[in-house]
Amino acid sequence: MFSSSLGKKYLMALSGLVLIGFVFVHMAGNLQVLLGQAQINAYAHSLQSLPWFILWGSRLFLLAAVLIHAFTAYSLIVENRKARPNLNEIEATKRAGLASLRMGLTGSILLAFIVFHLLHFTIRTIYPEYAEMMTTVGSPDGTEIHDAFLMVISGFKHDVISVFYVVAMGMLCAHLSHGFSSVFQSLGLRSESWRAKIDLVAIGYAWIIFVGFSIVPLSVLAQKHGIYEFYDPSFFSQEVEEKSLSTNLLNNES
Amino acid sequence: MKLTLKIWRQNGPSANGSFESHTLDGVSEDSSFLEMLDQLNEQLLGEGKEPVAFDHDCREGICGTCSLTINGHAHGPEDSTTTCQLHMRKFRDGETVTIEPFRANAFPIVRDLIVDRSAFDRIVQSGGFISVRTGSAPDGNAIPISKVDADNAMDAAACIGCGACVASCKNASAMLFTSAKAAHLNLLPQGQAEKDERAINMVKTMDEAGFGNCRNYGECSAACPKDISLDYIAKLNRDHAKAKLKKIFS
Ligand code: HEM
Ligand code: SF4
Ligand code: FES
């Protein structure tokens, strides 16, 4: 089923479809940061408290989708280089846009971003102290839970990191503006009368994802640089991070 | 018109090729691109040089024999036009025109601008036919076919097998050609019996010939002199997936 050239296209499209669905849910989840500490902490906590097999099942499923997607992409690229070893003296195009011609580039930047993002906010090896941020705000039963809100604000207070996130989301926007409609072509689910509509939806979707994801780091940067106050300003002082960490250390010792 | 022609010269399949420049004066705006090359070859013969080898036959846009990548575009920059139907008035006086063969691993260069497109024949041999009892001719209109299907099949059958789709594709994919050849039979009642086999076998032969994987750029359809639609690629993707699934579950 998946060994032929078309089989690889089906794998690309199906794994891409899984990721398209995931980024939307993830974006909708993130937007709760705008609703404040209690909201996002409660949401993050509810995800963390899912039964282990659901939590790990979904994580493995997504990991498999990314690995299959990236592996198939690189094997397509390598095979295609072999299929056309000699370039033209003049390489011209009539219809193909940059988004489609640069899927491998935008995809590779996304792969790098995914690794960084996991180390940053999920495994928290880049700033290990993010794991120690605890609070009762947003907790369903008054016990201490992880302070996702504080972690996000602290994370995006670094200009370079926030800019990298926004640039990566720009890459995602480009990737999706071709990828979304490409899925329908690869799976054979479109016809001439639908083509223009699907292309429009793809571009709309890509922009919604870009704006939805970028709004969080941009809002934190805007507040840090005094442009607009989105959040409780006390989270922007250095002490709040330290206080959260020290109370946590005290708790651990007692 | 006076033109500088930058032309790919290659002595044989395994020889190393390179570009050669020639100046050609007195080109009529009304001549076709191939007539302009004929004129160049006259000049080369006069100078005692080897003429440029290029493919051509009908010179009226219906046989699919002419090829050439002109200024980076398969069959030149004009839409919906074969090289033989391209006219010199589309070029500027004094322009440098770069002429290359259709480049793809599956289309080995025979000499200069001539490439071997027999991989296309192998794809057609593997499924671009219907096996029917050849008795007396069937009655016209004995098999009802809807107008929509008939038109669609006819549009697919317009493919002349020139290979511009492969040459214009950055991935040297033959999906537009293969899908057109599969679709004009898969759309008609006569083609139904062998539909699944056809989809699987033609894709298999296409892969084995060394064509690249389609990545949905759409350059093929933009370069196609017969405007074959990307829909046929979507249809082959669909027919192939269905055929494979049926095979797995039967
Ligand atoms: C959040 C992550 C990602 C999403 C949502 C996504 C989505 C998609 C979609 C929907 C397609 C179209 C599939 C098709 O042609 O049918 C696609 C194609 C592609 N993706 Fe991704 N992708 C992601 C990550 C990546 C990564 C990490 C890579 C890097 C290796 C990558 C490389 C590619 C390439 C090269 C294509 C083009 C395949 C083709 O045109 O045939 N993608 N992607
Ligand atoms: S699909 Fe178009 S470009 Fe490709 S071989 Fe047929 S006529 Fe030529
Ligand atoms: S020579 Fe026949 S199509 Fe150009």
Side-chain angles (χ1 to χ4, degrees):
Chain A
M1 180 83 200
F2 295 119
S3 57
S4 64
S5 61
L6 296 198
K8 293 195 193 101
K9 290 298 296 172
Y10 303 149
L11 279 182
M12 261 341 268
L14 292 173
S15 56
L17 208 53
V18 168
L19 296 172
I20 283 181
F22 168 73
V23 289
F24 189 82
V25 176
H26 189 14
M27 178 203 73
N30 285 2
L31 285 174
Q32 297 175 61
V33 169
L34 293 170
L35 300 178
Q37 189 184 17
Q39 177 76 29
I40 186 69
N41 282 2
Y43 173 70
H45 182 69
S46 70
L47 287 185
Q48 294 285 342
S49 347
L50 287 172
W52 68 269
F53 56 90
I54 297 190
L55 185 62
W56 281 98
S58 340
R59 282 177 169 170
L60 287 179
F61 183 66
L62 284 173
L63 183 68
V66 171
L67 289 181
I68 289 173
H69 191 78
F71 186 80
T72 316
Y74 289 127
S75 92
L76 287 175
I77 291 172
V78 169
E79 284 177 12
N80 287 352
R81 292 241 168 97
K82 275 194 228 144
R84 200 166 183 271
N86 302 310
L87 291 184
N88 283 334
E89 176 74 1
I90 300 179
E91 280 291 344
T93 51
K94 274 189 176 168
R95 186 187 290 176
L98 269 188
S100 69
L101 293 170
R102 297 282 170 271
M103 288 300 273
L105 176 71
T106 52
S108 301
I109 296 175
L110 284 174
L111 195 59
F113 169 77
I114 292 169
V115 173
F116 177 81
H117 177 54
L118 289 179
L119 294 176
H120 189 210
F121 280 157
T122 308
I123 314 174
R124 302 170 191 139
T125 31
I126 297 178
Y127 295 99
E129 62 269 28
Y130 288 175
E132 317 279 318
M133 295 173 165
M134 303 298 277
T135 181
T136 53
V137 181
S139 167
D141 51 10
T143 56
E144 285 215 317
I145 59 171
H146 181 244
D147 197 347
F149 182 76
L150 179 59
M151 174 176 81
V152 169
I153 303 284
S154 314
F156 288 145
K157 271 197 298 198
H158 301 272
D159 292 358
V160 179
I161 290 185
S162 284
V163 168
F164 176 53
Y165 268 78
V166 175
V167 169
M169 291 308 105
M171 297 296 133
L172 182 58
C173 178
H175 199 82
L176 288 176
S177 69
H178 174 71
F180 188 103
S181 52
S182 191
V183 167
F184 291 88
Q185 175 76 6
S186 296
L187 297 179
L189 300 175
R190 78 170 172 190
S191 62
E192 204 53 68
S193 54
W194 277 90
R195 180 178 312 281
K197 288 172 210 149
I198 293 176
D199 287 353
L200 264 184
V201 174
I203 291 175
Y205 183 85
W207 278 101
I208 290 174
I209 292 290
F210 174 67
V211 173
F213 271 124
S214 302
I215 229 166
V216 177
L218 287 180
S219 63
V220 174
L221 275 194
Q223 182 156 354
K224 179 191 162 193
H225 294 286
I227 297 168
Y228 188 83
E229 200 164 279
F230 288 91
Y231 309 101
D232 178 351
S234 62
F235 286 95
F236 283 77
S237 60
Q238 207 52 50
E239 298 89 78
V240 68
E241 263 179 57
E242 279 153 20
K243 202 172 108 229
S244 155
L245 293 176
S246 59
T247 49
N248 186 41
L249 289 180
L250 285 179
N251 287 344
N252 284 352
E253 273 161 29
S254 63
Chain B
M1 302 169 79
K2 185 174 175 177
L3 297 170
T4 305
L5 303 170
K6 198 173 159 194
I7 302 183
W8 185 261
R9 302 301 303 261
Q10 183 169 334
N11 269 331
S14 51
N16 281 333
S18 62
F19 282 97
E20 205 175 82
S21 282
H22 296 282
T23 329
L24 188 61
D25 208 348
V27 178
S28 156
E29 296 205 330
D30 297 330
S31 65
S32 75
F33 201 85
L34 297 185
E35 282 162 350
M36 181 276 293
L37 285 181
D38 291 337
Q39 197 180 335
L40 172 73
N41 278 345
E42 294 286 335
Q43 177 179 316
L44 290 177
L45 281 170
E47 293 167 358
K49 291 187 189 141
E50 192 67 26
V52 178
F54 61 92
D55 258 332
H56 60 104
D57 189 15
C58 72
R59 297 208 177 192
E60 49 188 29
I62 55 172
C63 74
T65 309
C66 58
S67 56
L68 309 187
T69 295
I70 303 163
N71 288 343
H73 294 289
H75 288 308
E78 275 293 291
D79 286 347
S80 326
T81 310
T82 54
T83 294
C84 59
Q85 292 292 294
L86 178 65
H87 285 85
M88 294 317 293
R89 54 179 161 272
K90 302 292 177 187
F91 297 84
R92 278 176 290 106
D93 188 29
E95 188 175 342
T96 300
V97 183
T98 306
I99 309 169
E100 307 175 64
F102 276 1
R103 294 190 198 274
N105 204 25
F107 287 168
I109 294 178
V110 177
R111 186 181 179 88
D112 295 344
L113 303 171
I114 298 183
V115 298
D116 175 359
R117 284 167 281 182
S118 57
F120 270 11
D121 301 336
R122 296 200 293 281
I123 294 175
V124 170
Q125 281 157 8
S126 69
F129 53 82
I130 46 175
S131 317
V132 288
R133 188 178 53 86
T134 51
S136 50
D139 272 358
N141 300 333
I143 308 171
I145 300 172
S146 80
K147 171 92 172 116
V148 177
D149 287 343
D151 285 354
N152 240 334
M154 197 62 194
D155 285 348
C159 165
I160 53 177
C162 62
C165 42
V166 173
S168 62
C169 176
K170 308 285 172 208
N171 307 304
S173 164
M175 273 302 277
L176 194 64
F177 167 80
T178 309
S179 66
K181 293 297 168 206
H184 84 268
L185 298 173
N186 281 354
L187 280 163
L188 295 176
Q190 294 92 328
Q192 295 311 304
E194 288 155 309
K195 183 174 169 194
D196 292 345
E197 293 296 298
R198 179 176 301 117
I200 291 176
N201 292 342
M202 289 179 81
V203 168
K204 189 160 167 270
T205 315
M206 174 185 82
D207 287 349
E208 283 165 1
F211 292 105
N213 303 287
C214 171
R215 292 185 58 197
N216 306 336
Y217 292 168
E219 281 299 300
C220 50
S221 184
C224 174
K226 299 298 161 189
D227 294 324
I228 302 291
S229 153
L230 294 176
D231 274 8
Y232 297 113
I233 297 187
K235 179 169 168 52
L236 183 57
N237 288 338
R238 181 165 69 239
D239 289 349
H240 183 266
K242 274 199 236 158
K244 283 279 186 180
L245 286 173
K246 273 193 221 161
K247 231 177 160 180
I248 291 170
F249 291 110
S250 67

